[in-house]
Amino acid sequence: VVQGVWTRVAWWQIALLFLPALLNLWGIWHAFNHTFETPLERVLWMVACVFVPVLGGVAYVLFGWRRAH
C-alpha cells in the first residue's frame, strides 16, 4: 500500500505552512485600513507584504503595525 505525503503531515505542520500567508494577509488588511505618517509609507508596507511574502509580513508585524494610527 502506497501512502500519500499528506497522510503523514500533522495539523501543526499545515498550520506552519499557512502562518506566513496569514501574516501577509493581515499586514495588507491592517495597512489598508489604517493611516500612517505619509501615504507613501502605507503603500510601501502593502507592497512589502505583497512582493516580499514572508519577510514583508514578518517585518510588518514587528515594526509596521505600531506606526499605524
Side-chain angles (χ1 to χ4, degrees):
V1 175
V2 177
Q3 291 183 349
V5 69
W6 294 108
T7 60
R8 295 177 298 208
V9 177
W11 67 269
W12 60 270
Q13 291 170 323
I14 294 171
L16 283 178
L17 288 175
F18 286 106
L19 183 63
L22 291 176
L23 288 176
N24 287 342
L25 290 174
W26 180 81
I28 294 166
W29 174 82
H30 191 267
F32 184 79
N33 289 314
H34 290 79
T35 58
F36 289 84
E37 295 293 325
T38 65
L40 179 62
E41 182 180 5
R42 177 182 181 184
V43 170
L44 289 176
W45 278 117
M46 289 192 296
V47 167
C49 287
V50 170
F51 292 109
V52 189
V54 175
L55 296 178
V58 170
Y60 187 79
V61 168
L62 293 176
F63 307 111
W65 73 273
R66 286 184 228 143
R67 298 180 55 85
H69 302 211

